[in-house]
Amino acid sequence: MNHGTRNLLLYIGGLVVLNGLMTALGLWTSYWWAGLFINFVLIVLIAEQVGRRVPARHKTAYERALAIGFPILLLIAWELLVRGGVLNARWFPPPTRIGAALWDLTISYDKFSETSLLGRPWLIPQRLATEGWPGVAALFAESHVWATLGRVFAGFLIGAIPGVFLGMIMGMNKTVRLMLDTTMSAIYVLPKIAIFPIVMLIFANPFGEGPKIAVVAISAFFLVAINTMVGVRDIDPVYIMAGKNYGANRWQMFRHVIFPAALPVIFAGLRLALGTALIVIVAIEFIRAKKGVGFMTFYYWEIMVTDKMYAGLFVVMALGVILTFGLEWIGRRLMPWMRE
Amino acid sequence: MAPKIIARNVGKVYETRRGQVEALVDFSLEVEEGEFVCIVGPSGCGKSTFLRILAGLEPLTSGEYAIAPGDDPNKPLNNVVFQEYAIFPWKTVLENVAFGLQMRSVSKRERTAIAMDWLERVGLRKFADHYPGQISGGMKQRVSIARALANDPEVLLMDEPLGALDAQTRTVMQEELMRIWEETRKTVVYITHSIEESVFLGDRVVLMTAHPGTIKEIFPVDLPRPRSHKTTATPAYAELTYAIWQSLQGEVMRAMQEQQA
Ligand SMILES: Nc1ncnc2c1ncn2[C@@H]1O[C@H](COP(=O)(O)OP(=O)(O)OP(=O)(O)O)[C@@H](O)[C@H]1O
Ligand SMILES: [Mg+2]
């Protein structure tokens, strides 16, 4: 038995003994924080030992297992801490109950908001028979998820496209950059929620979709513009020289050199902007909306149905992950050279 | 016949925030059609600056220069093989090599055929669809050279194209370069750090002084062509390399002292 194997067994043994002892002696209630910390350290040590033994061709699978496995482990720990009475189930409902709440939200109609999380999916077969796919789309359109997603998409596109445009100009033209840079940086740090009241006043219907989408667009715009500018400015001048030397005209220079060279940084900006769009819209839905995942979450907080509130938070996180994945997928398509 | 490249009293002063940097003074050089001229000199003496001026990528502060156009007005006057390769990471090897032709609106079929031909000649046919990030430094430099040759310019300006390569790859590439040049007989201005390389490749070796750069001495290379690495085993080769080194030595010392001061 070599050194590494002995260590591995030692760590696993430590893990079993630690948790066994803490449970047997009833130490979890007072020392749960220490227990969690030591557990975490031991799991890291075990994972490192295991990682060393994984053959190179299974490395990807191993890394994926770590990335997915650890969050699951966290959920299990949460569940156990609640069941063991360490965490208060009223304020920290266990994942199983949140899951049940999520299911309940999906299959039951809320009369107050006149919709549900996914918009009465139980009507899908019926609508499909009578109206076809447009009917199904209409069903989804009335849901909380779509209310939020629609605002995110609309605001993101309305903000990001001009953002890329202005960022490009600021990156390429020094005069414009010098004139706008300070203002942009100042507005960029402003919490966009703080300007929501003003934005509401601009619109004919302050309580409609307009102001909500506008604030999302504003948040996305500045982030994307600033990132695009940085992306363009950081282009190695030797690429510009090469473009010139091989006879690129202005448009060709933009299309073949500047745009692709800045694209990775632009995408980093888009990714940030998409996340920010979600954060902003959920915050706005908390205070000023009759629909949307943010509204739903806050509503269940107000009536103290915490498991449904957590379900709402979970949906927000899931949306964030899905949107980011989607954007990264598009990014990989647009930038095939970035794959390692 | 008139020279292909004429540079007369070229001077370059960079205006920087910390004051003026005199990079080139009174640099005069004529290059004949089909000639291979090598420029050597200590680091920072203004070699790249001179090349960028010839390429029209850097304005000069004094003097004048001209590259004589050829019979075909559509042919580009010059193309540069950059010291930093400067091939585009976002384009495939094939797209990089076809880049100059694409900028001149050569049809896709034609430019692909020409680029493939050049990839064949530099031994990269198999890597046509790779991205630069997926190939080695030596291969990148060959892509950079093929990109310039595929565009068929009147003169080829090469800035330490083999500088970043390891000794073995470099030796192989030198012979390859000679082989290709024998086929095309292009006018070449070739910058290098290596005296050995300049003697092996060039018809003339231009030695520059340290900062600010100007011409110190020009050495004609009377070694027979076509050359191979066998040439490097001759006494004539050894004598010339030594003579250039003796002349360069003082400049290198001066450059190093200046950098320390
Ligand atoms: N864009 C620039 N702005 C200011 N100074 C510059 C610039 N480019 C070059 N220089 C300066 O001009 C001088 C000559 O530079 P250059 O790059 O032409 O030298 P070089 O001979 O090619 O050097 P190396 O052998 O290291 O490549 C150096 O002192 C350098 O610092
Ligand atoms: Mg240089």
Side-chain angles (χ1 to χ4, degrees):
Chain A
M1 193 160 76
N2 69 22
H3 199 64
T5 315
R6 211 184 60 215
N7 279 350
L8 180 60
L9 291 177
L10 202 68
Y11 299 145
I12 296 176
L15 197 71
V16 174
V17 170
L18 170 81
N19 288 297
L21 271 182
M22 280 190 71
T23 311
L25 300 176
L27 291 176
W28 275 109
T29 323
S30 332
Y31 297 107
W32 57 271
W33 45 275
L36 283 185
F37 178 72
I38 302 171
N39 262 310
F40 178 71
V41 173
L42 284 172
I43 290 169
V44 170
L45 290 170
I46 292 170
E48 295 223 308
Q49 288 291 341
V50 173
R52 250 172 253 166
R53 285 169 177 71
V54 175
R57 69 204 142 86
H58 293 313
K59 266 279 183 296
T60 330
Y62 164 75
E63 280 166 9
R64 209 164 285 165
L66 269 191
I68 298 169
F70 190 72
I72 293 177
L73 210 61
L74 276 185
L75 291 179
I76 293 173
W78 181 354
E79 184 83 30
L80 291 177
L81 285 176
V82 179
R83 297 226 172 158
V86 178
L87 284 176
N88 186 332
R90 179 154 180 78
W91 305 121
F92 304 99
T96 44
R97 261 181 54 199
I98 297 172
L102 202 58
W103 177 246
D104 193 34
L105 284 173
T106 312
I107 58 154
S108 57
Y109 189 69
D110 180 48
K111 282 182 210 72
F112 176 67
S113 61
E114 297 184 320
T115 180
S116 79
L117 186 61
L118 292 173
R120 296 183 287 178
W122 54 90
L123 290 182
I124 288 177
Q126 183 194 331
R127 288 284 173 97
L128 198 59
T130 54
E131 297 166 47
W133 286 110
V136 177
L139 267 183
F140 183 60
E142 70 179 33
S143 68
H144 283 305
V145 166
W146 178 251
T148 301
L149 272 183
R151 288 164 188 153
V152 167
F153 283 148
F156 179 70
L157 287 179
I158 293 171
I161 293 170
V164 169
F165 206 74
L166 181 67
M168 283 277 173
I169 293 170
M170 286 176 71
M172 293 190 285
N173 186 302
K174 197 172 175 188
T175 313
V176 178
R177 178 166 68 244
L178 289 174
M179 275 161 33
L180 291 183
D181 206 5
T182 318
T183 318
M184 301 276 293
S185 309
I187 301 178
Y188 163 65
V189 296
L190 208 61
K192 300 306 172 297
I193 293 294
I195 56 171
F196 186 55
I198 305 165
V199 176
M200 281 176 73
L201 290 179
I202 298 171
F203 282 82
N205 176 9
F207 303 103
E209 291 297 301
K212 302 182 182 72
I213 292 172
V215 171
V216 173
I218 291 169
S219 326
F221 174 79
F222 287 98
L223 258 171
V224 171
I226 289 174
N227 261 277
T228 306
M229 178 188 76
V230 171
V232 172
R233 286 205 66 190
D234 282 354
I235 298 174
D236 190 334
V238 83
Y239 294 128
I240 311 285
M241 278 204 250
K244 264 192 210 149
N245 187 242
Y246 285 85
N249 59 31
R250 267 166 171 266
W251 163 246
Q252 288 171 323
M253 184 70 98
F254 178 80
R255 160 79 185 72
H256 292 280
V257 182
I258 293 173
F259 186 69
L263 203 52
V265 185
I266 294 176
F267 251 83
L270 291 177
R271 199 185 143 155
L272 282 176
L274 195 57
T276 308
L278 201 58
I279 292 171
V280 167
I281 201 60
V282 169
I284 288 174
E285 286 173 353
F286 265 32
I287 54 172
R288 241 331 138 245
K290 298 203 174 55
K291 233 193 210 184
V293 182
F295 161 79
M296 187 190 85
T297 306
F298 201 67
Y299 168 71
Y300 286 115
W301 154 247
E302 283 184 316
I303 61 170
M304 288 289 162
V305 184
T306 46
D307 46 359
K308 284 192 177 167
M309 184 197 86
Y310 274 95
L313 294 178
F314 177 81
V315 172
V316 172
M317 291 191 280
L319 286 181
V321 170
I322 292 167
L323 288 179
T324 307
F325 271 32
L327 195 68
E328 279 176 355
W329 184 84
I330 296 173
R332 279 199 300 276
R333 247 23 33 182
L334 284 178
M335 300 178 283
W337 69 92
M338 293 295 283
R339 267 174 265 172
E340 47 336 347
Chain B
M1 210 173 74
K4 192 72 188 164
I5 304 172
I6 306 178
R8 221 173 275 138
N9 311 110
V10 170
K12 173 73 191 180
V13 178
Y14 285 109
E15 303 283 349
T16 70
R17 260 162 229 273
R18 274 173 291 136
Q20 296 187 327
V21 179
E22 208 171 16
L24 276 181
V25 282
D26 208 19
F27 192 102
S28 298
L29 181 68
E30 291 187 357
V31 181
E32 297 302 322
E33 171 101 56
E35 196 184 11
F36 198 121
V37 170
C38 292
I39 300 179
V40 287
S43 191
C45 74
K47 303 183 294 294
S48 297
T49 301
F50 177 63
L51 212 71
R52 285 201 296 268
I53 289 174
L54 281 188
L57 295 170
E58 189 93 70
L60 39 61
T61 356
S62 58
E64 54 187 357
Y65 77 98
I67 298 175
D71 304 328
D72 182 355
N74 289 326
K75 243 169 120 175
L77 277 187
N78 77 82
N79 280 126
V80 182
V81 176
F82 291 90
Q83 191 168 0
E84 310 86 351
Y85 309 157
I87 57 173
F88 305 118
W90 50 89
K91 289 186 177 289
T92 63
V93 165
L94 179 68
E95 288 165 347
N96 264 291
V97 175
F99 181 70
L101 297 163
Q102 188 183 10
M103 295 304 102
R104 291 195 280 132
S105 311
V106 174
S107 77
K108 181 158 188 167
R109 260 187 68 198
E110 196 180 339
R111 66 175 190 253
T112 304
I114 296 172
M116 275 316 249
D117 181 44
W118 277 105
L119 282 178
E120 180 86 60
R121 278 151 98 167
V122 297
L124 286 178
R125 201 192 171 86
K126 273 198 296 192
F127 296 89
D129 293 327
H130 283 56
Y131 283 99
Q134 303 167 314
I135 60 177
S136 72
M139 290 158 122
K140 280 184 205 158
Q141 195 49 277
R142 274 187 278 171
V143 174
S144 173
I145 293 170
R147 175 174 71 176
L149 288 167
N151 207 28
D152 195 20
E154 290 290 328
V155 305
L156 197 57
L157 307 173
M158 306 178 89
D159 194 352
E160 295 194 39
L162 311 183
L165 304 183
D166 63 272
Q168 282 104 38
T169 318
R170 196 177 170 130
T171 310
V172 173
M173 284 292 294
Q174 285 167 353
E175 281 200 344
E176 220 170 285
L177 209 58
M178 266 300 88
R179 183 177 53 75
I180 293 170
W181 182 75
E182 297 285 356
E183 288 169 19
T184 58
R185 284 283 173 169
K186 261 192 196 318
T187 313
V188 179
V189 177
Y190 187 104
I191 290 173
T192 172
H193 263 129
S194 154
I195 298 173
E196 286 80 6
E197 183 169 287
S198 69
V199 175
F200 175 66
L201 296 172
D203 294 318
R204 278 190 295 158
V205 176
V206 175
L207 179 63
M208 285 179 71
T209 60
H211 188 87
T214 189
I215 292 180
K216 185 176 188 202
E217 218 175 326
I218 297 183
F219 299 86
V221 185
D222 291 323
L223 300 171
R225 293 196 187 268
R227 295 178 196 160
S228 72
H229 270 101
K230 223 171 162 185
T231 316
T232 61
T234 59
Y237 173 87
E239 266 162 37
L240 187 54
T241 351
Y242 184 66
I244 299 175
W245 170 241
Q246 272 190 318
S247 187
L248 177 64
Q249 201 173 24
E251 295 305 321
V252 175
M253 297 296 212
R254 211 155 65 77
M256 282 166 66
Q257 273 161 14
E258 220 170 81
Q259 272 161 20
Q260 275 160 16

